[in-house]
């Protein structure tokens, strides 16, 4: 992920590129496009906004997102743990609001972890939440599945037991994570 400037609008954005070794793998490119579609479809204040997806002949697939100026929840936890209970509740409510929006749209994140939650200044607080990385999100109902049954995707330390066993991840799996 790079900081970039969107020339036509004159704004700073985040530009996410596939690593060169994956840029020609059709399944990886399809999953990357699905990430862009999933995040873009949600339009929730606690979910990173994806504004564009494309394929550049020289650099491969890319997606353009809002640039987040903040820190991952994992870094905040490493610096100050345990957190004050009221701060934990404030952050957790926003994560749950983001998940509720994703689940209402038929999307299961499948990789909820502190590295995928960024704390940013938002709505008058320094602990605004942005949920990101829908790279292995389970697609909206009616779309083709990109993952074979029994495939385990996600970060083991944060996975729900059924997900770790290769069973289908659900909204409940995200809440567990």
């Amino acid at each position: 992920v790079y900081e970039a400037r969107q020339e036509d609008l004159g704004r700073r954005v985040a530009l996410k590129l596939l690593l060169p070794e994956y840029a020609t793998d059709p399944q990886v490119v399809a999953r990357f496009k699905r990430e862009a579609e999933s995040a873009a479809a949600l339009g929730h204040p606690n979910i990173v906004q994806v504004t564009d997806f494309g394929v550049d002949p020289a650099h491969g697939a890319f997606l353009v997102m809002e640039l987040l100026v903040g820190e991952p929840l994992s870094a905040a936890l490493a610096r100050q743990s345990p957190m004050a209970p009221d701060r934990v509740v404030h952050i957790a409510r926003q994560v749950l609001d983001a998940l509720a929006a994703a689940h209402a749209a038929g999307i299961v994140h499948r990789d909820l972890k502190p590295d995928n939650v960024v704390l940013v200044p938002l709505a008058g607080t320094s602990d605004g939440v942005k949920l990101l990385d829908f790279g292995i999100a389970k697609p909206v109902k009616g779309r083709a599945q990109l993952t074979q049954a029994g495939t385990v995707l996600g970060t083991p330390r944060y996975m729900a037991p059924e997900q770790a066993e290769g069973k289908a991840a659900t909204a409940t799996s995200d809440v567990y994570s």
Side-chain angles (χ1 to χ4, degrees), residues 107-125:
I107 297 170
V108 178
H109 189 280
R110 297 199 301 184
D111 198 21
L112 183 62
K113 60 185 177 183
D115 282 338
N116 288 338
V117 175
V118 176
L119 302 178
V120 297
L122 182 68
T125 177

Side-chain angles (χ1 to χ4, degrees), residues 128-171:
V129 162
K130 289 288 187 167
L131 179 60
L132 51 100
D133 199 355
F134 283 77
I136 63 169
K138 185 176 174 182
V140 176
K141 294 175 186 172
R143 288 201 173 168
Q145 296 290 320
L146 296 176
T147 307
Q148 295 178 354
T151 302
V152 178
L153 292 175
T155 305
R157 184 173 182 186
Y158 300 100
M159 258 182 218
E162 66 275 9
Q163 190 176 352
E165 292 172 358
K167 296 177 183 170
T170 65

Side-chain angles (χ1 to χ4, degrees), residues 12 32 43 51 60 62 68 76 89-90 102-104 114 125 134 156 170:
R12 294 171 39 214
F32 194 60
T51 59
F62 65 89
L68 300 179
V89 168
H90 177 69
H103 298 158
T125 177
F134 283 77
T170 65

